[in-house]
Amino acid sequence: MSVTTKQLYDAASNDWQRSEPILLSDFTARPFLLKWCEPVAKLNVLDLGCGEGYFARGLKRQGAGSILGIDVSEEMVRGAEQREAQEQLGIRYRAGDATDLTAIASESVDLTVAVFLFNYLTLEQTRHTMHEVHRVLRPGGRFIFAVPHPSLAFLGDKVAPFYFDPQSKGYFSGRDCQFEGEIWRRDGKSVRVRSVHKNLEDYFGALAAAGFTQMPQVAELRATEEHLRMDPTWFGPLRDKPLHLAFQLRK
Ligand SMILES: C[S@@+](CC[C@H](N)C(=O)[O-])C[C@H]1O[C@@H](n2cnc3c(N)ncnc32)[C@H](O)[C@@H]1O
């Protein structure tokens, strides 16, 4: 039986600790998402699946107000708190399941972010969590999240620097199935990741059912020409492939 997500991240928490870009997605996704979150000044932010706080720290440095990060891995939260003790940004972290937001008051959050959380949740958990995100957002508040691009698992070889293995499953038959994968760090080390596969219909359907009625902004993130110039060997295998899918919604 495969390890739970909590076990996976508890065991690998040291490999996720970072104060500068090191993982592939620190180049291909997080800088874009941090810009997308602007303007963040003084916003009350909820970071679901916050990990060791890399993204939350980025938001705080951009001027965000209060930030609460929630992660199911106690070791990731411990890492976040250790970093907070070293560089006091005033971010609060809590070990807990992002599918349970009952402790958070309705319409109390300006911005909810979830950077590579939903790929760990089943479709049912995703629907429930998006519904809860809608509840806790204030009218006009925003919801920004990113997931692995649903096509990626079916486009490439199982090689560095990023892949998911769909085994024998296809784009439709693999819905709600767990694909194991790896993402590489620039120092040559890889970390295990996984994706409970969901297709575009699943994401758009879950958002609509949650109550998000305005057209979302959608971005398909990739290795850009700038990345390829910076390190052609590392980014080269990903040329022209959709890596991540990002959504921005307004309540
Ligand atoms: C790929 S990491 C991303 C961490 C962070 N968002 C970042 O961008 O650096 C995914 C995180 O989601 C967390 N996670 C997975 N399932 C979760 C759940 N049900 N509730 C809370 N956190 C969860 C994992 O423990 C892990 O820290």
Side-chain angles (χ1 to χ4, degrees):
M1 215 179 76
S2 70
V3 295
T4 64
T5 297
K6 176 178 159 22
Q7 288 168 332
L8 186 72
Y9 278 93
D10 277 349
S13 63
N14 285 342
D15 292 337
W16 284 87
Q17 291 285 339
R18 59 215 196 276
S19 52
E20 55 187 35
I22 183 160
L23 282 157
L24 178 82
S25 46
D26 293 339
F27 298 89
T28 53
R30 291 183 184 85
F32 175 90
L33 295 167
L34 282 168
K35 268 197 208 132
W36 236 22
C37 288
E38 291 290 0
V40 293
K42 301 199 171 60
L43 294 190
N44 179 23
V45 180
L46 178 62
D47 183 353
L48 300 178
C50 61
E52 57 72 66
Y54 182 88
F55 197 78
R57 289 191 294 277
L59 286 177
K60 194 70 188 179
R61 291 190 195 109
Q62 288 177 195
S66 65
I67 304 185
L68 172 64
I70 299 178
D71 200 282
V72 77
S73 160
E74 279 157 31
E75 290 305 317
M76 292 291 266
V77 169
R78 198 190 314 278
E81 282 170 343
Q82 274 169 5
R83 189 55 65 92
E84 176 65 27
Q86 287 159 12
E87 181 189 2
Q88 291 177 7
L89 292 168
I91 304 170
R92 290 173 299 133
Y93 296 100
R94 185 197 299 162
D97 200 315
T99 62
D100 179 7
L101 300 183
T102 45
I104 299 180
S106 298
E107 304 194 350
S108 62
V109 175
D110 299 310
L111 170 67
T112 299
V113 295
V115 180
F116 303 118
L117 165 73
F118 290 107
N119 44 301
Y120 293 89
L121 305 188
T122 64
L123 182 50
E124 200 42 54
Q125 289 170 327
T126 297
R127 288 184 182 129
H128 169 77
T129 306
M130 288 183 173
H131 198 270
E132 279 293 274
V133 167
H134 189 269
R135 177 183 67 78
V136 303
L137 276 181
R138 67 160 171 80
R142 289 178 297 144
F143 177 29
I144 292 179
F145 69 94
V147 289
H149 196 290
S151 301
L152 178 68
F154 307 100
L155 289 179
D157 302 324
K158 288 148 207 67
V159 294
F162 188 26
Y163 75 88
F164 290 99
D165 181 3
Q167 305 245 350
S168 55
K169 297 292 183 186
Y171 185 81
F172 293 106
S173 59
R175 285 173 73 209
D176 237 5
C177 296
Q178 188 169 291
F179 301 164
E180 303 296 331
E182 284 177 278
I183 191 163
W184 265 256
R185 301 171 13 145
R186 207 137 180 239
D187 60 6
K189 202 168 195 176
S190 76
V191 292
R192 281 179 63 189
V193 284
R194 60 176 43 148
S195 180
V196 181
H197 175 62
K198 289 172 275 296
N199 63 20
L200 294 179
E201 262 177 55
D202 293 329
Y203 286 116
F204 281 92
L207 289 164
F212 289 99
T213 51
Q214 294 185 33
M215 180 87 121
Q217 275 181 266
V218 173
E220 296 179 287
L221 306 180
R222 67 201 78 173
T224 61
E225 285 307 317
E226 196 185 333
H227 293 131
L228 287 157
R229 268 196 305 276
M230 182 207 303
D231 191 337
T233 309
W234 201 47
F235 292 105
L238 302 174
R239 182 188 291 274
D240 218 11
K241 287 187 183 155
L243 304 182
H244 325 284
L245 186 62
F247 290 82
Q248 169 153 204
L249 298 113
R250 193 175 284 280
K251 179 172 174 181

